[in-house]
Amino acid sequence: GAGVSQSPRYKVAKRGQDVALRCDPISGHVSLFWYQQALGQGPEFLTYFQNEAQLDKSGLPSDRFFAERPEGSVSTLKIQRTQQEDSAVYLCASSSPGGEITPDTQYFGPGTRLTVL
Amino acid sequence: AQSVAQPEDQVNVAEGNPLTVKCTYSVSGNPYLFWYVQYPNRGLQFLLKYITGDNLVKGSYGFEAEFNKSQTSFHLKKPSALVSDSALYFCAVRRLGGYNKLIFGAGTRLAVHP
């Protein structure tokens, strides 16, 4: 597609519910990132995929957060037993491989705004 | 540890005047620096990046940024502000290694008044 798409754009969950957030990266982009943006803050890294391999999940805040990209394209971020502190905008970004010498630009989707009541 | 500081929560400027949004960074090794802009209910849009070479980087919508290694700064500039430039601006840094993960500042809200 023309850009990174995310769905749903808005999600309201009751505390304790499980949610799944979807990201469709730019076609052909190998790298995919998830970030969490709390209100009034900059985005914070959650996890990174290169194709289907999750190479870095150091930013996931707890074991309730799980991400997958089984076929190296679409990715899903799942949050189990949601808590109020999970309320944030979840941003997905993708980039084409550039290696260490020329780090590629990350292109961001519009985000999913999650509100946990 | 890597970090980015945007010392101003908000910058106010009159339309037609030059604007500067400040960013300083801390990173081991060579920094790769980025500026993104965020409009309400939108994702981040890429403006420009510094990888190596000329310290003055030109980007989208007439924006430019100057890399200053001695001051560890990467300030965003525009010679003549437009009301439509009003948005939230984020500076980000990435170091060599670390799978291209970006570290963002807290953001600066730019308000351009007619």
Side-chain angles (χ1 to χ4, degrees):
Chain A
V4 179
S5 61
Q6 293 186 244
S7 61
R9 290 293 312 278
Y10 302 91
K11 177 69 178 178
V12 178
K14 292 183 179 179
R15 189 166 53 126
Q17 283 184 330
D18 297 349
V19 298
L21 313 180
R22 177 187 169 104
C23 172
D24 280 88
I26 294 172
S27 179
H29 276 191
V30 167
S31 299
L32 186 145
F33 304 80
W34 284 98
Y35 292 84
Q36 180 189 59
Q37 185 177 18
L39 189 64
Q41 302 293 321
E44 292 191 357
F45 170 79
L46 292 177
T47 188
Y48 163 67
F49 290 86
Q50 187 174 84
N51 294 305
E52 69 279 1
Q54 189 176 20
L55 299 184
D56 187 347
K57 52 182 182 179
S58 62
L60 296 177
S62 78
D63 58 8
R64 296 185 295 104
F65 287 70
F66 172 77
E68 60 183 5
R69 194 186 185 198
E71 298 179 358
S73 179
V74 171
S75 177
T76 302
L77 176 67
K78 297 179 179 179
I79 309 174
Q80 297 177 324
R81 305 181 304 281
T82 53
Q83 303 294 317
Q84 286 188 324
E85 61 263 29
D86 299 335
S87 295
V89 175
Y90 291 85
L91 295 167
C92 176
S94 70
S95 68
S96 58
E100 293 294 337
I101 304 303
T102 55
D104 283 297
T105 301
Q106 293 181 30
Y107 295 94
F108 284 79
T112 295
R113 182 178 297 277
L114 173 64
T115 302
V116 182
L117 303 177
Chain B
Q2 305 170 74
S3 65
V4 174
Q6 294 182 241
E8 302 153 316
D9 290 337
Q10 180 154 330
V11 170
N12 297 296
V13 64
E15 187 175 30
N17 283 0
L19 70 87
T20 299
V21 183
K22 296 179 180 178
C23 171
T24 59
Y25 66 89
S26 173
V27 66
S28 57
N30 294 323
Y32 300 142
L33 295 153
F34 301 79
W35 275 102
Y36 285 84
V37 59
Q38 187 173 39
Y39 296 96
N41 299 316
R42 302 274 296 275
L44 276 70
Q45 294 181 29
F46 170 73
L47 281 179
L48 50 81
K49 66 183 178 185
Y50 171 82
I51 304 300
T52 187
D54 194 348
N55 288 343
L56 185 63
V57 179
K58 295 189 182 296
S60 306
Y61 313 118
F63 283 93
E64 57 188 29
E66 186 170 10
F67 172 65
N68 187 317
K69 187 173 183 178
S70 63
Q71 296 185 4
T72 62
S73 67
F74 189 56
H75 301 332
L76 182 69
K77 301 181 179 183
K78 188 174 182 181
S80 178
L82 300 173
V83 172
S84 58
D85 293 330
S86 299
L88 194 54
Y89 290 80
F90 290 97
C91 181
V93 67
R94 183 221 155 185
R95 64 174 176 83
L96 190 66
Y99 297 124
N100 217 4
K101 172 173 64 178
L102 292 175
I103 306 299
F104 285 87
T108 297
R109 185 164 301 281
L110 174 66
V112 182
H113 305 286

Tab-separated table of all heavy atoms in Angstrom, chain A residues 56 58 99-103 106, chain B residues 1-4 25-34 50-51 92-103:
chain	number	residue	atom	x	y	z
A	56	ASP	N	14.141	-7.963	18.785
A	56	ASP	CA	14.303	-7.142	19.972
A	56	ASP	C	12.931	-6.921	20.582
A	56	ASP	O	12.047	-6.355	19.930
A	56	ASP	CB	14.963	-5.797	19.607
A	56	ASP	CG	15.326	-4.958	20.825
A	56	ASP	OD1	14.870	-5.269	21.945
A	56	ASP	OD2	16.058	-3.960	20.654
A	58	SER	N	12.865	-5.828	23.949
A	58	SER	CA	13.302	-5.279	25.220
A	58	SER	C	12.387	-4.195	25.762
A	58	SER	O	12.408	-3.906	26.958
A	58	SER	CB	14.725	-4.727	25.079
A	58	SER	OG	14.748	-3.671	24.131
A	99	GLY	N	20.892	-1.500	6.678
A	99	GLY	CA	22.096	-1.909	7.368
A	99	GLY	C	22.583	-0.863	8.346
A	99	GLY	O	21.920	0.124	8.623
A	100	GLU	N	23.738	-1.082	8.819
A	100	GLU	CA	24.282	-0.219	9.858
A	100	GLU	C	24.790	1.101	9.285
A	100	GLU	O	24.815	2.111	9.971
A	100	GLU	CB	25.433	-0.930	10.562
A	100	GLU	CG	25.013	-2.137	11.369
A	100	GLU	CD	24.138	-1.751	12.543
A	100	GLU	OE1	24.198	-0.589	12.992
A	100	GLU	OE2	23.353	-2.600	12.987
A	101	ILE	N	25.216	1.090	8.032
A	101	ILE	CA	25.860	2.281	7.490
A	101	ILE	C	24.840	3.344	7.122
A	101	ILE	O	25.050	4.520	7.327
A	101	ILE	CB	26.710	1.908	6.257
A	101	ILE	CG1	27.714	0.818	6.628
A	101	ILE	CG2	27.413	3.144	5.717
A	101	ILE	CD1	28.629	1.203	7.775
A	102	THR	N	23.743	2.924	6.578
A	102	THR	CA	22.714	3.892	6.183
A	102	THR	C	21.392	3.475	6.818
A	102	THR	O	20.564	2.840	6.180
A	102	THR	CB	22.557	3.947	4.656
A	102	THR	OG1	22.285	2.629	4.164
A	102	THR	CG2	23.810	4.483	4.001
A	103	PRO	N	21.206	3.802	8.083
A	103	PRO	CA	19.951	3.419	8.745
A	103	PRO	C	18.780	4.053	8.032
A	103	PRO	O	18.776	5.240	7.746
A	103	PRO	CB	20.120	3.980	10.162
A	103	PRO	CG	21.153	5.014	10.057
A	103	PRO	CD	22.076	4.575	8.962
A	106	GLN	N	12.196	5.332	9.215
A	106	GLN	CA	11.008	4.622	9.653
A	106	GLN	C	9.781	5.445	9.288
A	106	GLN	O	9.714	6.645	9.576
A	106	GLN	CB	11.052	4.388	11.167
A	106	GLN	CG	12.153	3.417	11.565
A	106	GLN	CD	12.202	3.153	13.049
A	106	GLN	OE1	11.181	3.202	13.735
A	106	GLN	NE2	13.393	2.886	13.556
B	1	ALA	N	23.975	5.443	28.060
B	1	ALA	CA	22.580	5.334	27.623
B	1	ALA	C	22.274	6.461	26.647
B	1	ALA	O	22.838	7.542	26.727
B	1	ALA	CB	21.645	5.407	28.819
B	2	GLN	N	21.406	6.172	25.731
B	2	GLN	CA	21.004	7.176	24.751
B	2	GLN	C	19.869	8.014	25.315
B	2	GLN	O	19.000	7.489	26.022
B	2	GLN	CB	20.510	6.501	23.475
B	2	GLN	CG	21.474	5.535	22.848
B	2	GLN	CD	20.802	4.744	21.758
B	2	GLN	OE1	20.543	5.261	20.676
B	2	GLN	NE2	20.497	3.503	22.036
B	3	SER	N	19.860	9.287	24.974
B	3	SER	CA	18.743	10.137	25.375
B	3	SER	C	18.646	11.336	24.449
B	3	SER	O	19.623	11.708	23.787
B	3	SER	CB	18.893	10.607	26.821
B	3	SER	OG	20.019	11.429	26.956
B	4	VAL	N	17.466	11.913	24.419
B	4	VAL	CA	17.203	13.104	23.629
B	4	VAL	C	16.473	14.090	24.523
B	4	VAL	O	15.541	13.714	25.238
B	4	VAL	CB	16.344	12.766	22.397
B	4	VAL	CG1	15.951	14.038	21.665
B	4	VAL	CG2	17.090	11.816	21.474
B	25	TYR	N	21.231	15.808	22.319
B	25	TYR	CA	21.226	14.346	22.402
B	25	TYR	C	22.424	13.861	23.202
B	25	TYR	O	23.421	14.572	23.380
B	25	TYR	CB	21.244	13.733	21.005
B	25	TYR	CG	22.525	14.020	20.250
B	25	TYR	CD1	23.630	13.184	20.352
B	25	TYR	CD2	22.638	15.177	19.473
B	25	TYR	CE1	24.810	13.475	19.702
B	25	TYR	CE2	23.821	15.472	18.821
B	25	TYR	CZ	24.898	14.624	18.935
B	25	TYR	OH	26.075	14.919	18.291
B	26	SER	N	22.315	12.627	23.643
B	26	SER	CA	23.428	11.947	24.298
B	26	SER	C	23.439	10.522	23.772
B	26	SER	O	22.444	9.801	23.902
B	26	SER	CB	23.248	11.951	25.817
B	26	SER	OG	24.248	11.154	26.433
B	27	VAL	N	24.541	10.164	23.132
B	27	VAL	CA	24.650	8.812	22.582
B	27	VAL	C	26.121	8.455	22.467
B	27	VAL	O	26.958	9.318	22.225
B	27	VAL	CB	23.952	8.739	21.202
B	27	VAL	CG1	24.678	9.594	20.173
B	27	VAL	CG2	23.827	7.314	20.717
B	28	SER	N	26.433	7.195	22.673
B	28	SER	CA	27.803	6.740	22.484
B	28	SER	C	28.013	6.437	21.012
B	28	SER	O	27.142	5.903	20.354
B	28	SER	CB	28.071	5.500	23.333
B	28	SER	OG	27.154	4.487	23.011
B	29	GLY	N	29.130	6.822	20.499
B	29	GLY	CA	29.399	6.580	19.092
B	29	GLY	C	28.767	7.625	18.206
B	29	GLY	O	28.314	8.684	18.650
B	30	ASN	N	28.719	7.323	16.921
B	30	ASN	CA	28.159	8.268	15.957
B	30	ASN	C	26.635	8.308	16.051
B	30	ASN	O	25.992	7.276	16.023
B	30	ASN	CB	28.569	7.871	14.537
B	30	ASN	CG	30.055	8.008	14.315
B	30	ASN	OD1	30.667	8.939	14.830
B	30	ASN	ND2	30.640	7.091	13.574
B	31	PRO	N	26.068	9.502	16.159
B	31	PRO	CA	24.606	9.592	16.233
B	31	PRO	C	23.972	9.672	14.863
B	31	PRO	O	24.518	10.270	13.940
B	31	PRO	CB	24.406	10.906	16.984
B	31	PRO	CG	25.547	11.754	16.520
B	31	PRO	CD	26.712	10.817	16.299
B	32	TYR	N	22.831	9.057	14.734
B	32	TYR	CA	21.962	9.251	13.587
B	32	TYR	C	20.726	9.971	14.123
B	32	TYR	O	20.081	9.484	15.056
B	32	TYR	CB	21.590	7.916	12.950
B	32	TYR	CG	22.772	7.126	12.446
B	32	TYR	CD1	22.815	5.750	12.574
B	32	TYR	CD2	23.855	7.763	11.863
B	32	TYR	CE1	23.894	5.017	12.113
B	32	TYR	CE2	24.945	7.042	11.406
B	32	TYR	CZ	24.964	5.671	11.537
B	32	TYR	OH	26.041	4.964	11.090
B	33	LEU	N	20.404	11.123	13.558
B	33	LEU	CA	19.411	12.020	14.138
B	33	LEU	C	18.267	12.255	13.177
B	33	LEU	O	18.478	12.362	11.959
B	33	LEU	CB	20.081	13.353	14.512
B	33	LEU	CG	21.133	13.224	15.604
B	33	LEU	CD1	22.175	14.317	15.494
B	33	LEU	CD2	20.462	13.246	16.968
B	34	PHE	N	17.072	12.369	13.727
B	34	PHE	CA	15.859	12.477	12.925
B	34	PHE	C	14.932	13.536	13.527
B	34	PHE	O	14.919	13.751	14.742
B	34	PHE	CB	15.103	11.140	12.909
B	34	PHE	CG	15.892	9.981	12.371
B	34	PHE	CD1	16.841	9.342	13.156
B	34	PHE	CD2	15.682	9.524	11.084
B	34	PHE	CE1	17.579	8.270	12.662
B	34	PHE	CE2	16.409	8.444	10.582
B	34	PHE	CZ	17.357	7.825	11.374
B	50	TYR	N	19.898	13.239	9.748
B	50	TYR	CA	21.340	13.413	9.609
B	50	TYR	C	22.002	12.062	9.825
B	50	TYR	O	21.799	11.424	10.873
B	50	TYR	CB	21.881	14.423	10.617
B	50	TYR	CG	23.386	14.447	10.620
B	50	TYR	CD1	24.085	15.188	9.664
B	50	TYR	CD2	24.130	13.698	11.529
B	50	TYR	CE1	25.480	15.194	9.644
B	50	TYR	CE2	25.508	13.695	11.512
B	50	TYR	CZ	26.176	14.433	10.561
B	50	TYR	OH	27.547	14.418	10.525
B	51	ILE	N	22.803	11.672	8.840
B	51	ILE	CA	23.562	10.436	8.977
B	51	ILE	C	25.043	10.766	9.019
B	51	ILE	O	25.757	10.412	9.957
B	51	ILE	CB	23.262	9.470	7.810
B	51	ILE	CG1	21.768	9.198	7.709
B	51	ILE	CG2	24.050	8.172	7.969
B	51	ILE	CD1	21.169	8.573	8.939
B	92	ALA	N	14.634	12.581	17.357
B	92	ALA	CA	14.939	11.195	17.712
B	92	ALA	C	16.380	10.882	17.353
B	92	ALA	O	16.953	11.461	16.427
B	92	ALA	CB	13.990	10.236	16.988
B	93	VAL	N	16.952	9.947	18.081
B	93	VAL	CA	18.337	9.553	17.853
B	93	VAL	C	18.437	8.046	17.776
B	93	VAL	O	17.655	7.313	18.399
B	93	VAL	CB	19.263	10.090	18.979
B	93	VAL	CG1	18.949	9.423	20.311
B	93	VAL	CG2	20.736	9.904	18.619
B	94	ARG	N	19.369	7.600	16.975
B	94	ARG	CA	19.676	6.189	16.919
B	94	ARG	C	21.187	6.080	16.862
B	94	ARG	O	21.845	6.879	16.208
B	94	ARG	CB	19.063	5.567	15.678
B	94	ARG	CG	19.284	4.068	15.578
B	94	ARG	CD	19.614	3.633	14.184
B	94	ARG	NE	20.373	2.383	14.213
B	94	ARG	CZ	20.892	1.799	13.147
B	94	ARG	NH1	20.757	2.351	11.970
B	94	ARG	NH2	21.553	0.676	13.256
B	95	ARG	N	21.752	5.095	17.526
B	95	ARG	CA	23.183	4.902	17.468
B	95	ARG	C	23.505	3.694	16.593
B	95	ARG	O	22.630	2.876	16.290
B	95	ARG	CB	23.769	4.685	18.862
B	95	ARG	CG	23.290	3.420	19.544
B	95	ARG	CD	24.037	3.204	20.854
B	95	ARG	NE	23.546	2.039	21.580
B	95	ARG	CZ	23.922	0.802	21.355
B	95	ARG	NH1	24.793	0.547	20.408
B	95	ARG	NH2	23.443	-0.181	22.065
B	96	LEU	N	24.739	3.610	16.199
B	96	LEU	CA	25.196	2.463	15.421
B	96	LEU	C	24.984	1.204	16.259
B	96	LEU	O	25.430	1.136	17.398
B	96	LEU	CB	26.673	2.642	15.080
B	96	LEU	CG	27.260	1.662	14.063
B	96	LEU	CD1	26.616	1.890	12.704
B	96	LEU	CD2	28.754	1.872	13.965
B	97	GLY	N	24.299	0.252	15.699
B	97	GLY	CA	23.940	-0.939	16.454
B	97	GLY	C	22.582	-0.745	17.103
B	97	GLY	O	22.082	0.360	17.203
B	98	GLY	N	21.947	-1.773	17.548
B	98	GLY	CA	20.677	-1.629	18.234
B	98	GLY	C	19.475	-1.724	17.327
B	98	GLY	O	18.415	-1.221	17.647
B	99	TYR	N	19.644	-2.345	16.155
B	99	TYR	CA	18.514	-2.662	15.295
B	99	TYR	C	17.673	-1.448	14.920
B	99	TYR	O	16.475	-1.547	14.808
B	99	TYR	CB	17.625	-3.710	15.951
B	99	TYR	CG	18.313	-5.037	16.168
B	99	TYR	CD1	18.369	-5.600	17.425
B	99	TYR	CD2	18.899	-5.714	15.111
B	99	TYR	CE1	18.982	-6.823	17.632
B	99	TYR	CE2	19.527	-6.937	15.302
B	99	TYR	CZ	19.567	-7.485	16.570
B	99	TYR	OH	20.174	-8.692	16.774
B	100	ASN	N	18.281	-0.314	14.774
B	100	ASN	CA	17.572	0.832	14.212
B	100	ASN	C	16.517	1.410	15.144
B	100	ASN	O	15.696	2.196	14.738
B	100	ASN	CB	16.916	0.438	12.890
B	100	ASN	CG	16.956	1.552	11.869
B	100	ASN	OD1	17.530	2.597	12.097
B	100	ASN	ND2	16.317	1.340	10.747
B	101	LYS	N	16.513	1.009	16.399
B	101	LYS	CA	15.557	1.516	17.374
B	101	LYS	C	15.775	3.005	17.576
B	101	LYS	O	16.889	3.476	17.738
B	101	LYS	CB	15.764	0.769	18.688
B	101	LYS	CG	14.981	1.292	19.869
B	101	LYS	CD	15.139	0.376	21.066
B	101	LYS	CE	16.559	0.324	21.559
B	101	LYS	NZ	16.674	-0.544	22.758
B	102	LEU	N	14.681	3.770	17.575
B	102	LEU	CA	14.757	5.211	17.773
B	102	LEU	C	14.428	5.572	19.219
B	102	LEU	O	13.508	5.014	19.811
B	102	LEU	CB	13.786	5.937	16.842
B	102	LEU	CG	14.093	5.879	15.343
B	102	LEU	CD1	12.972	6.537	14.552
B	102	LEU	CD2	15.420	6.553	15.036
B	103	ILE	N	15.169	6.525	19.743
B	103	ILE	CA	14.894	7.111	21.048
B	103	ILE	C	14.372	8.523	20.798
B	103	ILE	O	15.068	9.330	20.169
B	103	ILE	CB	16.151	7.170	21.922
B	103	ILE	CG1	16.805	5.795	22.032
B	103	ILE	CG2	15.816	7.737	23.302
B	103	ILE	CD1	15.934	4.736	22.653
